[in-house]
């Protein structure tokens, strides 16, 4: 059961410390959000899961962490300066601005007026001054995506790693877009994070690799708790493709506000590497591949070059971290009716994504020996390196259970008087609410088996 409305999710996020409106004490900054104590853990866990699957579990991907400030020529020759725009209209009645493609029947979406200006292009990229003098010559862009720095570092990575095609470069990082109308909580914002892979392949093999990455990305989201039935594939029609794309498949997830893009997997051909190569006489963004005779024959039949060196095609799986967090929260959210007539709100997060892995609860908050034992257990569990382990020292076990159900904590361990006598603790499972007694000496192995992917 997913959330009934976005309001339910935003309420939970504020109440439990997942996401806050940025600068809320001053009225908030539209389209900008801060991640709280639980939110930053969930976000980092999702990024870690992506990095693990892209880099650590493969032997054909390198990592990169490139700068946010971007040289204007990079985004000029990539086509962003010319194409990275949205159609903007103003309402003469209420003075509010909207994207022209969000206007229905020629009426302002805010007040219903038909007194609208003609659409005009609005550049989505943020400019900032560089150096002590602010003029037309001294500026940079805050990157609108992380992909271009991967392309401009392509030769650096090749020279330092001796890679051959096929291989990829992965990056997670901030991007900035001056959205006209940020909306739907953390779905469309002005400052966000991308998880992007640029996977370089031999021309002629790009369509096969494109399909492989679509399948792999669907499998990955399912392992993050996003039901496969909640995702529909949208193959972007040719007349809607981005300027760099030969083919794009969007994974459309059923968000609370409706079906919308969770991740895009694009076949960027050789557009980016080719564009940057053409602008720099000394820049050679080509790669090599070890070919067998069958591959050489196939390329010749397709009238493609059989030379050893070529400009690679690129398959790009690109996902927004914030949209991923929203999808995972929505998918795991449930209001459960209990047998006693009451209800509980629970986040059934996959254990590896849960912000808090284990909450250790002393039965009595003022009992020195029980509290000391609970602290020792927390310290032992922290040594496992699985993530946050916390002491929940309120003395009200029932309320603590409900609190951690909402936080998505998969396991709670209670230390009581029996623990002092025989060294056992009560372990409660979040999803089933079943409780078992476990010897303290066996607790670490139990947690390891329950939390690891």
């Amino acid at each position: 059961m997913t959330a009934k409305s976005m309001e339910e999710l935003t309420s939970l996020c504020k109440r439990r410390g997942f996401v806050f409106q940025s600068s809320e004490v001053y009225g908030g900054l539209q389209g900008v959000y801060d991640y709280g104590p639980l939110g930053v853990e969930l976000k980092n866990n999702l990024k870690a899961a992506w990095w693990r699957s892209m880099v650590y579990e493969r032997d054909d991907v390198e990592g990169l962490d490139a700068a946010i400030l971007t040289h204007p020529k990079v985004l000029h020759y990539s086509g962003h300066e010319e194409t990275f725009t949205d159609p903007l209209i103003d309402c003469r009645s209420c003075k509010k601005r909207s994207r022209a493609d969000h206007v229905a029947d020629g009426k302002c979406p805010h007040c219903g007026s038909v007194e609208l200006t003609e659409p005009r292009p609005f550049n989505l990229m943020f400019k900032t001054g560089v150096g002590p003098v602010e003029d037309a010559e001294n500026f940079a862009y805050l990157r609108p995506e992380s992909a271009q720095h991967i392309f401009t570092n392509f030769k650096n990575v090749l020279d330092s790693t001796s890679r051959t095609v096929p291989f990829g470069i992965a990056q997670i990082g901030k991007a900035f877009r001056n959205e006209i109308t940020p909306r739907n909580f953390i779905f469309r914002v002005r400052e966000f994070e991308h998880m992007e892979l640029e996977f370089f392949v031999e021309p002629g093999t790009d369509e096969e690799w494109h399909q492989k990455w679509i399948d792999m990305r669907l499998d990955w989201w399912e392992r993050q708790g996003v039901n496969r039935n909640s995702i529909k594939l949208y193959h972007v029609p040719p007349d809607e493709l981005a300027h760099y794309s030969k083919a794009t498949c969007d994974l459309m997830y059923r968000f609370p506000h409706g079906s919308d893009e969770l991740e895009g997997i694009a076949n960027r051909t050789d557009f980016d590497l080719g564009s940057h190569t053409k602008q720099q006489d000394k820049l050679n963004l080509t790669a090599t591949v070890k070919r067998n005779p069958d591959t050489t024959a196939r390329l010749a039949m397709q009238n493609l070059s059989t030379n050893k060196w070529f400009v690679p095609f690129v398959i790009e799986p690109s996902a927004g971290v914030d949209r991923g967090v929203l999808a995972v929260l929505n998918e795991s959210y449930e209001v459960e009716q209990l047998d006693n007539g009451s209800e509980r709100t629970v986040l059934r997060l996959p254990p590896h994504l849960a912000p808090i892995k284990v909450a250790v609860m002393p039965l009595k908050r003022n009992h020195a020996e029980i509290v000391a034992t609970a602290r020792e257990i927390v310290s032992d569990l922290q040594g496992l390196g699985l993530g946050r382990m916390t002491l929940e020292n309120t003395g009200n076990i029932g309320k603590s259970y409900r609190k951690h159900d909402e936080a998505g904590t998969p396991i709670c361990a209670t230390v009581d008087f029996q623990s002092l006598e025989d060294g056992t603790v009560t372990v409660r499972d979040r999803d089933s609410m079943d409780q078992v007694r476990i010897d303290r000496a066996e607790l670490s192995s139990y947690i390891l088996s329950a939390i690891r992917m």
Side-chain angles (χ1 to χ4, degrees), residues 163-165 202-203 286-291 296 299 304-312:
R163 283 285 184 180
T164 56
V165 170
E202 189 178 0
T286 59
T288 186
V289 65
K290 295 179 181 178
R291 294 180 177 163
T296 301
L299 291 174
L304 294 171
S305 173
T306 59
N307 293 333
K308 186 176 181 181
W309 290 90
F310 55 90
V311 177

Side-chain angles (χ1 to χ4, degrees), residues 153-363:
N153 274 293
F154 176 74
K155 189 173 188 304
N156 290 331
V157 174
L158 272 187
D159 291 347
S160 60
T161 64
S162 301
R163 283 285 184 180
T164 56
V165 170
F167 83 100
I169 302 176
Q171 182 172 208
I172 300 175
K174 290 275 191 179
F176 303 82
R177 295 180 186 176
N178 194 14
E179 295 285 352
I180 298 171
T181 53
R183 65 193 186 279
N184 297 323
F185 192 31
I186 56 174
F187 176 82
R188 188 175 297 281
V189 290
R190 292 189 168 110
E191 177 182 337
F192 56 96
E193 282 193 271
H194 258 162
M195 303 182 291
E196 288 193 318
L197 172 73
E198 306 304 328
F199 196 78
F200 303 97
V201 302
E202 189 178 0
T205 67
D206 51 298
E207 293 182 6
E208 178 184 355
W209 274 109
H210 191 210
Q211 185 58 53
K212 284 182 179 179
W213 276 108
I214 292 171
D215 295 338
M216 285 189 284
R217 297 309 299 148
L218 285 169
D219 290 342
W220 185 83
W221 282 112
E222 195 160 24
R223 294 200 303 274
Q224 311 319 306
V226 179
N227 193 305
R228 177 66 180 83
N229 294 329
S230 298
I231 296 178
K232 303 297 182 184
L233 298 184
Y234 176 66
H235 294 276
V236 179
D239 60 342
E240 296 179 14
L241 288 172
H243 64 282
Y244 53 75
S245 177
K246 172 183 176 181
T248 297
C249 178
D250 290 339
L251 308 188
M252 305 294 286
Y253 174 72
R254 187 179 57 205
F255 288 98
H257 65 271
S259 180
D260 223 324
E261 181 188 343
L262 173 62
E263 177 170 357
I265 301 98
N267 181 344
R268 298 183 73 120
T269 68
D270 60 355
F271 175 86
D272 301 278
L273 293 181
S275 295
H276 293 303
T277 299
K278 292 173 186 175
Q279 303 308 323
Q280 297 290 327
D281 293 337
K282 296 180 181 180
L283 188 63
N284 182 16
L285 301 183
T286 59
T288 186
V289 65
K290 295 179 181 178
R291 294 180 177 163
N292 57 44
D294 291 339
T295 301
T296 301
R298 175 171 50 78
L299 291 174
M301 291 178 62
Q302 298 180 51
N303 295 319
L304 294 171
S305 173
T306 59
N307 293 333
K308 186 176 181 181
W309 290 90
F310 55 90
V311 177
F313 275 33
V314 179
I315 308 301
E316 178 194 68
S318 176
V321 178
D322 308 86
R323 293 183 179 189
V325 168
L326 185 59
V328 167
L329 284 172
N330 184 62
E331 198 72 18
S332 63
Y333 179 95
E334 182 175 346
V335 178
E336 183 182 45
Q337 301 297 322
L338 302 179
D339 293 339
N340 62 7
S342 64
E343 64 179 28
R344 67 163 183 156
T345 299
V346 58
L347 284 180
R348 300 187 187 277
L349 294 167
H352 70 281
L353 294 183
I356 299 171
K357 300 299 187 281
V358 181
V360 181
M361 304 174 179
L363 183 66

